[in-house]
Amino acid sequence: MFDIFLLEAVINGVLLGGVLALLALGLNLVFGVIDVVWICYAELVMVGMYTIWWLFVHYGVPLPIAIAAAIALVSLCGVALHQLVIRPVLGTPPINQLLVTGGVLFFMQAAATLAFGVEFRNLGLRMPIVEVSDMFFSFARILAFGTALVGVLVLWLFLTRTYLGTAIRAISQDREIMPLMGVDPRKIYLTTSAIGGGMAGVAASLLALQYDVHPAIGLSFGPITFMICVLGGLGNMAGGFIAAFVFAQFISVGGFYFQIEWGYVLAFAFFIVMMFVKPQGLFSR
Amino acid sequence: MTGETMLEVRGVSAGYGGFRALFDVSLEVKPGEAVAVIGPNGAGKTTLLRVISKLIAASAGEIRMEGTSLGSVPPDKVVELGIAHVPENRRLFPRLTVEENLRMGAYAPSARARYRERLDFVYELFPRMRERRNQLAGTMSGGEQQMCAIGRALMSGPKLLLMDEPSAGLAPVIVQQVFKLVERIRAEGYTVLIVEQNVQQVLRVVDRAYLLEVGTIRLSGRSEELLASDEIRQSYLGL
Ligand SMILES: Nc1ncnc2c1ncn2[C@@H]1O[C@H](COP(=O)(O)OP(=O)(O)O)[C@@H](O)[C@H]1O
Ligand SMILES: [Mg+2]
């Protein structure tokens, strides 16, 4: 039997999948190239959301400019994270890398609480609802989905069509011989960190349109972003892209049949089962 | 410029941590020459090429390319002086396509401007690579991978080609083809410094050779002289 509400839930799941895919992409790129997991990735997203809120609400900066500034700032944060935190622990056991980036996570949460308090902040925008033959969709979600797809496409073109993008893919396959190609590995790592940060900034601007920002917002998006990356095979960008849509369907359709919280429970349960069945991810390299 | 010399290695020592693999090694390569470094496994041949490309630092001595000292040149700028290195075991990027591997060879800013022209040249030299340009490099046979690795080095438009055991790990028929390739590269006007354990065959395609043993140059001379020398015949040709 055709159920229009189910169809609405599925389409909402696809829209959510686009944003999750974008979130996962930056984390996956950094892991695939530098072999380090940015545990504090969702906190970079938080920095972007606060930047937009602060510029737009406090200083009345036009939204597009606030968004551009946030993307630039988060990109710089990615570079700083690499230079100050990651570089000293490159080549040390992975547990050290997890601990330092985990430390950055708590530092950023605490810093955000000090700077902005624990209140939930929002942009105060009223985004229209779009009605398509008796189904209702949030315009913010449609916008986020479209932007996420464009972001994914631009990144893909960059990685496959340019010298720099090709070097970013090559370095994870053989770092040692990169100088023979005329490539300075340190520059590639910095560029990758800037792009990874930039992706977090783009995700921040899409999320800021839909959600309130608060110091613990990273906990809402961080775990699911990691699970998507792991399910897709850490470092496998195509795998992460598909996994994002799988997760989004669990959340959206599961939420439709039960409650929205149950959607997350189902998604996480699916993840745990998959880790037993295929621990290296659905699409391991 | 020191007159006729293209590459000059003078009194170079190098190693890994506390371990020394090269002791006071000197050699030179003149423009248009093909020179081999032969020697047993573990002699330091690969280390020598790595030092020339600055993948590892020399602890003593000096290296000059066309008179320019490499001392202060960063590793990623060596290729712009006209030195291209085909590393041991080929070291292609296995999950990039053949053409993407070739693109990596043209990464240096000076090489990008002439990418198309050199790509056509490499495809003319190795028509097989044109056929396989969209194939992942790691899925090709050893001989094809060697062509791709040489092609990648040529994409930078080098004057001097460093080759590290291009025949290693290949079937005997393919080994023959690889040495034919070396001759063709020479005929195209490239200067070649090649490292080999396949002594008999490499001495047929080069002008001169150095014998490296335990990190020291033991012997050097023209190929015919070395092929005739007792030391080489007994130790390396099994005659
Ligand atoms: N990465 C490395 N770390 C430590 N020792 C090395 C390394 N590479 C080579 N060696 C040592 O240096 C010596 C010379 O090695 P190498 O230059 O690879 O010789 P060849 O190429 O002539 O077989 C050998 O004793 C080898 O064990
Ligand atoms: Mg060797």
Side-chain angles (χ1 to χ4, degrees):
Chain A
M1 198 195 82
F2 179 75
D3 183 341
I4 193 156
F5 295 110
L6 177 61
L7 180 63
E8 187 184 74
V10 169
I11 295 176
N12 267 318
V14 172
L15 295 180
L16 175 66
V19 181
L20 293 181
L22 186 77
L23 266 172
L25 208 57
L27 187 64
N28 245 338
L29 176 73
V30 170
F31 178 81
V33 174
I34 309 178
D35 215 18
V36 168
V37 178
W38 282 2
I39 292 289
C40 54
Y41 183 71
E43 278 61 36
L44 292 179
V45 176
M46 174 192 73
V47 169
M49 291 176 77
Y50 269 120
T51 307
I52 295 168
W53 169 77
W54 199 56
L55 289 176
F56 179 69
V57 173
H58 262 251
Y59 289 93
V61 175
L63 195 55
I65 296 176
I67 285 175
I71 294 173
L73 180 74
V74 180
S75 176
L76 272 181
C77 287
V79 170
L81 179 67
H82 183 80
Q83 280 295 87
L84 303 177
V85 179
I86 304 292
R87 233 171 104 169
V89 297
L90 274 180
T92 66
I95 185 70
N96 294 1
Q97 302 166 354
L98 289 181
L99 287 174
V100 291
T101 56
V104 172
L105 181 160
F106 293 117
F107 170 80
M108 288 168 83
Q109 278 189 1
T113 310
L114 276 178
F116 302 107
V118 295
E119 289 90 329
F120 283 47
R121 317 278 190 175
N122 68 64
L123 301 184
L125 291 174
R126 292 174 114 255
M127 301 296 271
I129 299 288
V130 180
E131 188 189 338
V132 185
S133 57
D134 290 339
M135 295 183 289
F136 296 92
F137 305 106
S138 122
F139 178 71
R141 276 200 170 178
I142 296 173
L143 188 69
F145 176 76
T147 311
L149 281 199
V150 171
V152 168
L153 183 70
V154 168
L155 183 67
W156 182 75
L157 288 175
F158 169 73
L159 289 176
T160 53
R161 301 294 152 91
T162 67
Y163 283 97
L164 191 55
T166 311
I168 286 176
R169 287 187 298 140
I171 199 170
S172 60
Q173 301 176 32
D174 196 330
R175 172 173 203 263
E176 200 197 356
I177 64 156
M178 293 309 280
L180 301 183
M181 310 290 121
V183 177
D184 180 353
R186 288 170 307 179
K187 284 189 196 155
I188 300 296
Y189 283 177
L190 281 182
T191 310
T192 304
S193 301
I195 296 172
M199 304 292 286
V202 174
S205 54
L206 301 180
L207 293 172
L209 298 178
Q210 303 175 49
Y211 300 95
D212 294 351
V213 57
H214 53 94
I217 184 126
L219 297 181
S220 313
F221 298 111
I224 191 142
T225 308
F226 288 115
M227 282 189 268
I228 287 168
C229 292
V230 172
L231 189 67
L234 255 177
N236 180 338
M237 284 185 272
F241 188 78
I242 296 167
F245 285 92
V246 173
F247 259 89
Q249 284 308 330
F250 268 100
I251 293 169
S252 190
V253 176
F256 164 74
Y257 277 119
F258 307 100
Q259 291 165 337
I260 189 67
E261 289 77 18
W262 271 102
Y264 282 93
V265 172
L266 283 178
F268 291 166
F270 170 69
F271 173 77
I272 292 168
V273 170
M274 285 314 296
M275 283 303 95
F276 282 111
V277 179
K278 218 164 178 299
Q280 66 280 63
L282 288 179
F283 314 92
S284 55
R285 291 190 288 193
Chain B
M1 294 269 293
T2 45
E4 269 285 274
T5 311
M6 178 176 275
L7 178 77
E8 187 181 3
V9 175
R10 193 143 306 290
V12 162
S13 299
Y16 303 90
F19 175 77
R20 258 176 107 188
L22 290 179
F23 301 85
D24 194 23
V25 168
S26 298
L27 60 78
E28 59 174 37
V29 182
K30 297 190 170 67
E33 260 192 323
V35 174
V37 176
I38 56 178
N41 215 349
K45 305 181 297 297
T46 295
T47 306
L48 175 63
L49 294 193
R50 284 198 190 131
V51 172
I52 296 172
S53 296
K54 301 203 68 172
L55 286 181
I56 59 176
S59 53
E62 198 185 23
I63 299 169
R64 288 175 172 274
M65 175 66 181
E66 297 188 310
T68 307
S69 170
L70 297 192
S72 58
V73 178
D76 57 299
K77 301 291 180 216
V78 171
V79 66
E80 300 201 50
L81 295 179
I83 301 177
H85 185 158
V86 185
E88 189 170 34
N89 299 326
R90 308 179 271 279
R91 301 288 284 268
L92 293 177
F93 302 107
R95 282 172 278 114
L96 296 188
T97 65
V98 167
E99 194 152 304
E100 286 171 336
N101 269 277
L102 297 176
R103 188 193 294 157
M104 284 310 298
Y107 189 89
S110 54
R112 292 184 195 186
R114 305 184 59 184
Y115 173 72
R116 272 283 138 210
E117 174 193 331
R118 287 187 185 142
L119 191 65
D120 286 342
F121 169 70
V122 168
Y123 282 157
E124 244 166 73
L125 205 56
F126 308 122
R128 186 82 61 87
M129 292 301 103
R130 191 197 298 274
E131 286 165 29
R132 312 225 152 189
R133 63 181 181 277
N134 293 320
Q135 187 172 335
L136 294 187
T139 64
M140 295 193 299
S141 73
E144 288 166 343
Q145 290 195 17
Q146 193 61 57
M147 288 181 198
C148 188
I150 294 172
R152 183 176 68 178
L154 295 180
M155 289 299 292
S156 66
K159 296 168 187 158
L160 174 66
L161 199 61
L162 309 178
M163 301 173 90
D164 196 339
E165 299 211 40
S167 77
L170 300 178
V173 191
I174 312 294
V175 169
Q176 297 296 337
Q177 291 175 9
V178 165
F179 283 106
K180 289 233 165 61
L181 268 179
V182 175
E183 283 186 309
R184 266 171 73 197
I185 304 280
R186 287 206 60 184
E188 292 289 340
Y190 293 98
T191 305
V192 175
L193 179 61
I194 181 172
V195 156
E196 262 298 339
Q197 289 196 57
N198 222 320
V199 173
Q200 180 141 28
Q201 304 201 58
V202 78
L203 286 182
R204 292 216 194 92
V205 299
V206 297
D207 304 306
R208 292 190 297 117
Y210 295 84
L211 171 64
L212 189 66
E213 280 180 355
V214 222
T216 318
I217 301 279
R218 272 284 141 69
L219 209 61
S220 68
R222 303 202 55 79
S223 305
E224 317 84 72
E225 294 166 13
L226 291 177
L227 274 170
S229 86
D230 285 340
E231 185 166 353
I232 298 281
R233 286 166 63 90
Q234 279 164 16
S235 308
Y236 295 97
L237 302 179
L239 299 175

